[in-house]
Amino acid sequence: MPNSMGRALLITEEFRKFNPNMPMQMASMLLLIADRPGISLKDIGTRLEIGKSSVNRDAAILAKGWGKPLISYGRDPADARNNICHLTPAGVRLVQSIAHYMTGA
């Protein structure tokens, strides 16, 4: 079993297998959406301390997913001023491929 630093490296490698050029900011955004399904783009920006334009750009890229969309986002039915995000099946698979490294199992 790898130590915590070894697990961190394995997690990084899983993201690189999907796309070797995925910025860490997008990886963080993907993990946040996995942790909080239905999170708004505004709340993502607040939690990750990134600007609205960066959040919108990254969401658009993750929604295209380099050929495999990782997230979907659209208007919040409860408040049309907000866009909310969810993982797509491909996003769920990517997160699941790294989840066991996070728990150390």
Side-chain angles (χ1 to χ4, degrees):
M1 171 56 55
N3 61 23
S4 58
M5 192 59 62
R7 285 193 304 269
L9 289 170
L10 291 170
I11 290 167
T12 303
E13 284 304 310
E14 286 298 316
F15 279 112
R16 292 191 66 203
K17 284 179 193 174
F18 180 79
N19 183 322
N21 298 314
M22 180 186 284
M24 290 307 299
Q25 180 172 296
M26 283 187 204
S28 296
M29 187 172 175
L30 184 70
L31 293 174
L32 182 58
I33 295 166
D35 187 53
R36 302 185 186 296
I39 189 170
S40 70
L41 291 177
K42 180 180 178 182
D43 288 343
I44 290 170
T46 300
R47 292 189 59 89
L48 297 180
E49 298 180 348
I50 54 179
K52 181 179 179 179
S53 62
S54 293
V55 172
N56 288 333
R57 179 194 63 235
D58 290 351
I61 292 169
L62 288 170
K64 291 180 183 170
W66 300 278
K68 294 180 186 175
L70 299 175
I71 70 165
S72 63
Y73 66 100
R75 294 283 176 213
D76 181 347
D79 184 351
R81 297 171 296 175
N82 292 320
N83 285 306
I84 56 173
C85 302
H86 295 277
L87 295 180
T88 63
V92 170
R93 283 191 300 278
L94 178 57
V95 170
Q96 286 175 341
S97 75
I98 64 169
H100 66 282
Y101 296 125
M102 293 180 194
T103 61

